[in-house]
Amino acid sequence: MAKVFVFDHPLIQHKLTYIRDKNTGTKEFRELVDEVATLMAFEITRDMPLEDFEVETPVQKTTSKVLSGKKIGLVPILRAGIGMVDGILKLIPAAKVGHIGLYRDPETLMPVEYYAKLPSDVEERDFIVVDPMLATGGSAVEAINSLKKRGAKQIKFMCLIAAPEGVEVLQKAHPEVDIYIAALDEKLNDHGYIVPGLGDAGDRLFGTK
Ligand code: PRP
Ligand code: URA
């Protein structure tokens, strides 16, 4: 079964509070999502493999460590996932970025795919799928289906806020995909919004409504 990791670092929790606040405007919301994405990237890369590297310091030669060249693919789910990309790329700038476009049909809440463009070497990369919200889980499940269909083998899912319902759905559909979140909220409301959540992530990031 997929593991769920809650990144409850004080800085993440502090910034998430202001992200939730309905009085936080678009500019600040965007900046905070970017900052939290960077902090989460720091945590999610904790298990990256290292290899020995010979280096000569001004004092003597020594063996030190460098990342062992693992290829990372970052896949934001459009639109709101885009808000997390730059923050993650600050720490892993060599990652290639694919995009999967999905929207939730407001009546059925089912995800509809309208775009998919991934790096050409899909099979060789470890993917991190990002989206601020995991609500019913439909979008995350569909995005990961889409990635797997195109050959992806290693996938993690990272979001800011998850509902228990979404975690369960994602775990059932993709039991090998670990889930990394900043907060596990209480529930979904009748419109499929996370309670207490942060509202509509895409609208708050891009100033639409
Ligand atoms: C939001 C959010 C997720 C999805 C989560 O996107 O960014 O992608 O809902 O809901 P789910 O877990 O129930 O599928 P939305 O469909 O509002 O599209 P947008 O990013 O274009 O605003
Ligand atoms: N999508 C959002 O943007 N917010 C929610 O609470 C649920 C889905």
Side-chain angles (χ1 to χ4, degrees):
M1 181 59 75
K3 293 196 254 339
V4 181
F5 299 89
V6 182
F7 293 149
D8 55 359
H9 188 288
L11 286 175
I12 294 178
Q13 296 309 305
H14 174 85
K15 289 174 193 294
L16 192 58
T17 298
Y18 292 98
I19 288 174
R20 289 183 188 276
D21 187 344
K22 68 175 186 182
N23 296 313
T24 298
T26 302
K27 175 178 179 287
E28 200 187 345
F29 185 90
R30 207 178 278 150
E31 289 167 355
L32 286 163
V33 169
D34 180 76
E35 288 167 14
V36 170
T38 304
L39 293 167
M40 293 186 79
F42 183 74
E43 299 277 13
I44 206 172
T45 50
R46 207 170 266 284
D47 62 353
M48 273 185 159
L50 295 167
E51 62 189 23
D52 287 347
F53 188 80
E54 301 301 317
V55 66
E56 191 167 352
T57 78
V59 179
Q60 67 163 54
K61 282 189 179 165
T62 187
T63 305
S64 195
K65 298 284 181 196
V66 289
L67 292 170
S68 75
K70 223 168 191 350
K71 292 178 164 185
I72 303 292
L74 186 59
V75 179
I77 301 179
L78 306 181
R79 271 177 314 166
I82 289 177
M84 298 174 73
V85 170
D86 286 350
I88 298 169
L89 290 179
K90 277 177 198 142
L91 295 194
I92 33 178
K96 291 266 170 30
V97 183
H99 294 86
I100 294 182
L102 295 170
Y103 68 87
R104 288 200 313 178
D105 183 301
E107 301 295 322
T108 64
L109 300 183
M110 293 306 289
V112 182
E113 183 174 299
Y114 60 86
Y115 187 77
K117 182 80 181 170
L118 300 175
S120 53
D121 52 355
V122 174
E123 290 178 17
E124 294 163 36
R125 291 191 177 266
D126 285 1
F127 284 93
I128 308 173
V129 176
V130 295
D131 191 321
M133 311 303 277
L134 177 64
T136 64
S139 302
V141 167
E142 198 48 42
I144 293 167
N145 282 342
S146 184
L147 258 178
K148 285 185 175 173
K149 204 170 65 194
R150 292 171 171 84
K153 305 260 183 308
Q154 290 289 331
I155 304 172
K156 293 175 174 175
F157 179 80
M158 183 167 110
C159 70
L160 301 187
I161 301 180
E165 295 89 331
V167 169
E168 199 183 326
V169 166
L170 182 52
Q171 280 183 315
K172 277 217 181 94
H174 298 293
E176 78 293 358
V177 174
D178 288 338
I179 304 169
Y180 300 80
I181 62 186
L184 182 61
D185 274 11
E186 197 188 320
K187 59 177 182 182
L188 292 179
N189 68 15
D190 293 343
H191 305 288
Y193 275 82
I194 300 177
V195 179
L198 54 72
D200 188 303
D203 283 345
R204 295 198 62 193
L205 266 170
F206 297 109
T208 50
K209 189 71 199 123

